[in-house]
Amino acid sequence: MVRNQTFTGIGTTCGASGSRVGKAIQNTDYEVMNEMREDFWYDSKGAGKIHGCRWIPEGEAKAVVQLVHGIAEYIERYEDFANFLNRQGIAVVAEDHMGHGQSVNGGGVQGYFHGGWFTAVEDTMTLLRGTQEAYPELPYILFGHSMGSFMARTILCKYPDSGISAAIICGTGWQPAGLLPPVIALIEQVCKKNGEENPSEFLQKLVFGSYNKRVEHPRTEFDWLTRDAKQVDAYIAHPMCGFTASAGLLRELMKGISFIEKPESLAAMRKDLPVFFIAGGDDPVGNYGKGVRKAAEAFQRAGMTDVSTRIYPLCRHEILNEINKKEIYEDVAQWIAKSVKSGE
């Protein structure tokens, strides 16, 4: 089914196949096919162009979800989840971060944040602001996974008046306060010695090397992602996934985590914002549930009044790609419906 859909927003649009480039979409009507992806581009605050995607449901949208992806992946990996949300009447938008996905083709270096952590977060905020202008009356839900969960938490702390209605924090974690300063100092030494734009196998092993340790008889080094072998194989096979991050990106990631764990940052969050923490019980990023619960407890200590948590037993890091992902999809949709209704 092809229909006309009006979208006032940002960027330059192209067809879902990426085969044609259209004109700027400010106050422009264009055709959208149900459960098809629209691609667009906008200027990064750091380097080059940012590649964005939007999935528009058939009929009137009743809410908007902005997806914020993780490290060493690209946003189209979330297309099945986006299509599911479309069927619930929810519009979905997302962008490839600097140094990721098709944004690398727009300029920049794979696996590197030009301008640092907060510049990359500002790129996400550019999409947020533009989409809010397009849907000013709709509830707006921010969904961040893995590194994207830390970016989403940065937005909650740094932009408490951003106008979002709720936040879903997926595959997140918590680092001991005493650990981060020496780790950042070590990474800084590697940056100075080898160049911050260059990949670092040493730092890659330091940060991610232990993640497979609880996987019995692992097939690959990425089995910690999900129990679904097909998803693991697809991740390994794709050139936009699993690359070795630059030393600079890992430094900025650690700085971002340090920022969101500071009491003064947590205290700045909007206290009545509904927040849903979700993660796998066998996810090493969240220390097998312990780090996720610590993050949720930190939110509550900061005065957040609507914080809920669900840990899925046996699930690994990418719960949206797990063998029971449909259960998780449904739980997310039900929580969104509940949080949106309670906010009316």
Side-chain angles (χ1 to χ4, degrees):
M1 178 181 296
V2 179
R3 62 194 178 82
N4 289 328
Q5 172 75 38
T6 301
F7 186 101
T8 304
I10 59 173
T12 300
T13 184
C14 64
S17 66
S19 59
R20 69 177 178 85
V21 177
K23 56 187 176 181
I25 63 170
Q26 189 75 25
N27 297 319
T28 301
D29 290 346
Y30 60 91
E31 292 184 336
V32 176
M33 187 173 290
N34 189 38
E35 294 193 1
M36 293 290 283
R37 187 183 73 250
E38 278 276 329
D39 297 87
F40 58 94
W41 300 82
Y42 60 94
D43 290 335
S44 171
K45 298 296 183 180
K49 297 281 186 178
I50 295 297
H51 167 247
C53 298
R54 52 181 162 262
W55 296 262
I56 309 299
E58 186 174 5
E60 294 295 323
K62 60 185 180 183
V64 179
V65 167
Q66 181 171 343
L67 302 175
V68 191
H69 73 73
I71 195 170
E73 64 166 341
Y74 63 105
I75 200 58
E76 289 95 328
R77 297 186 74 228
Y78 294 75
E79 187 149 81
D80 185 68
F81 182 52
N83 286 337
F84 167 81
L85 292 176
N86 278 176
R87 292 192 291 274
Q88 317 307 308
I90 298 172
V92 180
V93 298
E95 106 284 354
D96 285 329
H97 308 314
M98 265 191 294
H100 291 75
Q102 293 187 56
S103 293
V104 176
N105 298 326
V109 177
Q110 187 178 52
Y112 180 67
F113 282 169
H114 289 268
W117 179 259
F118 294 104
T119 303
V121 169
E122 186 61 28
D123 284 340
T124 300
M125 283 298 299
T126 297
L127 177 59
L128 188 153
R129 295 180 184 114
T131 308
Q132 285 177 329
E133 290 178 5
Y135 296 99
E137 304 300 325
L138 294 186
Y140 201 101
I141 298 93
L142 190 64
F143 184 114
H145 169 70
S146 194
M147 182 179 73
S149 78
F150 302 126
M151 298 178 80
R153 287 164 61 183
T154 300
I155 289 172
L156 301 190
C157 296
K158 191 172 177 62
Y159 304 97
D161 299 323
S162 63
I164 65 172
S165 308
I168 300 172
I169 309 300
C170 177
T172 201
W174 186 269
Q175 297 296 328
L179 178 65
L180 288 168
V183 169
I184 292 170
L186 173 62
I187 298 175
E188 187 63 56
Q189 289 179 5
V190 176
C191 288
K192 290 179 179 178
K193 181 179 179 180
N194 300 325
E196 61 180 49
E197 295 186 11
N198 294 322
S200 172
E201 293 291 348
F202 165 72
L203 293 176
Q204 188 85 357
K205 291 178 181 178
L206 177 69
V207 175
F208 304 106
S210 65
Y211 282 180
N212 247 3
K213 68 179 181 180
R214 290 201 188 182
V215 177
E216 292 186 8
H217 311 298
R219 263 186 339 114
T220 78
E221 63 179 311
F222 292 106
D223 280 17
W224 58 273
L225 291 175
T226 170
R227 293 169 292 173
D228 189 333
K230 291 183 179 179
Q231 290 285 352
V232 172
D233 290 344
Y235 180 90
I236 293 171
H238 203 287
M240 293 181 184
C241 292
F243 54 80
T244 300
S246 69
L249 174 55
L250 294 177
R251 179 196 60 201
E252 293 305 311
L253 172 59
M254 296 305 158
K255 284 184 176 180
I257 295 173
S258 178
F259 170 79
I260 62 177
E261 293 187 358
K262 290 178 179 178
E264 58 267 32
S265 298
L266 290 160
M269 294 188 294
R270 205 185 90 204
K271 301 299 185 288
D272 63 344
L273 183 76
V275 180
F276 189 23
F277 285 87
I278 55 175
D282 282 350
D283 178 7
V285 174
N287 194 18
Y288 308 97
K290 294 178 183 178
V292 181
R293 293 188 180 94
K294 284 184 177 180
E297 290 165 1
F299 273 46
Q300 292 170 327
R301 286 195 303 272
M304 303 289 282
T305 59
D306 189 354
V307 179
S308 52
T309 304
R310 178 153 187 189
I311 307 296
Y312 295 87
L314 303 180
C315 288
R316 298 176 187 172
H317 183 52
E318 292 188 345
I319 59 175
L320 296 183
N321 286 324
E322 263 292 357
I323 57 177
N324 60 325
K325 66 180 183 180
K326 296 302 182 184
E327 170 196 0
I328 296 160
Y329 285 13
E330 292 289 347
D331 287 349
V332 169
Q334 290 174 17
W335 185 85
I336 289 174
K338 179 181 177 181
S339 66
V340 166
K341 186 175 180 180
S342 64
E344 291 177 350

